[in-house]
Amino acid sequence: MVETERKYVQDLEQACDEYLPLAGKFNDCQIQSLDRRKLKKTKRNRSNQDLSSGHTIHGSFSSQESSNGIGIETAREVSKLEMRQMLGNIEDIRDYHKKVMLPKMEKAMDNAQLMRILFETEQPRLSRKYGRYCINNTRSSIIIDQNIKFFSLYQFNKGLMLRVDAMLIKPIQRLTR
């Protein structure tokens, strides 16, 4: 159980290390969960944009030939706000598991009673953090779907094994365990 928690913390760290730099720094008050009015506005704006504009985030990708001779197309720019909305509170979940849950689980590793008490006392905090993450998951999925070309190119250029959606589903999968 403790080893699984360590692996989970590593997975969260990888997702944060790879994608949080693209989101820049935001205050929590700027982060919004699913807001249907803004979601509709974002969808409307997307459909009105010319996706062949060639804008890229941080100039990461452009129309050029890669070293293996394959032409790389341009990807639409993904804003820092969209990145932040896509990631939701994953940074908070990572910090919580790394600084609170994992150390407490390591201390309770050989004592089933302590482990049970740990989960009982932490259950309200876990519910809040994961509830917020799950609510944001719909917004996250929409942003990924709208920018799949960008994220595929980013994954390829960074040599990442997992797609961004596979990384971001891990906290939701964790709930079922």
Side-chain angles (χ1 to χ4, degrees):
M1 189 178 211
V2 174
E3 195 54 42
T4 304
E5 182 72 7
R6 284 188 190 114
K7 174 69 174 126
Y8 179 57
V9 168
Q10 288 174 348
D11 291 343
L12 290 172
E13 285 182 326
Q14 181 186 13
C16 290
D17 291 347
E18 294 298 337
Y19 292 99
L20 277 174
L22 298 177
K25 293 287 182 191
F26 280 81
N27 296 330
D28 279 333
C29 62
Q30 290 177 297
I31 311 309
Q32 299 163 5
S33 292
L34 185 62
D35 180 338
R36 297 195 187 286
R37 288 177 301 221
K38 288 190 179 199
L39 182 61
K40 286 179 184 176
K41 184 179 178 184
T42 302
K43 277 183 148 179
R44 219 174 305 122
N45 288 342
R46 291 270 183 259
S47 62
N48 293 334
Q49 285 180 344
D50 177 14
L51 295 178
S52 64
S53 65
H55 291 293
T56 58
I57 191 166
H58 307 294
S60 299
F61 310 114
S62 61
S63 281
Q64 60 185 16
E65 212 170 271
S66 67
S67 59
N68 61 7
I70 298 171
I72 299 176
E73 299 177 32
T74 59
R76 188 191 75 64
E77 183 174 337
V78 180
S79 74
K80 289 182 178 187
L81 178 60
E82 286 176 309
M83 289 298 298
R84 193 26 113 177
Q85 288 174 335
M86 180 190 78
L87 295 169
N89 64 327
I90 196 167
E91 189 174 19
D92 184 34
I93 291 172
R94 178 207 55 196
D95 292 344
Y96 175 72
H97 279 274
K98 184 177 181 178
K99 296 174 183 172
V100 178
M101 287 299 291
L102 184 56
K104 287 183 177 183
M105 286 176 76
E106 289 170 337
K107 288 179 185 173
M109 188 166 42
D110 297 325
N111 187 331
Q113 175 92 7
L114 266 171
M115 192 68 78
R116 181 180 62 77
I117 292 169
L118 166 63
F119 281 98
E120 287 174 354
T121 57
E122 294 299 325
Q123 191 272 332
R125 286 174 70 184
L126 286 166
S127 292
R128 275 192 309 276
K129 290 176 187 303
Y130 282 90
R132 184 172 157 210
Y133 190 84
C134 288
I135 288 168
N136 189 66
N137 186 55
T138 302
R139 176 72 179 130
S140 180
S141 295
I142 290 168
I143 292 170
I144 292 168
D145 290 346
Q146 289 175 341
N147 298 287
I148 194 65
K149 189 175 186 179
F150 169 80
F151 291 115
S152 296
L153 288 170
Y154 186 82
Q155 176 191 359
F156 175 77
N157 288 339
K158 288 285 215 167
L160 301 174
M161 296 298 293
L162 291 177
R163 289 178 20 165
V164 66
D165 51 350
M167 287 184 181
L168 297 180
I169 198 70
K170 288 185 181 224
I172 294 171
Q173 291 170 333
R174 183 73 171 188
L175 287 173
T176 61
R177 295 183 186 164

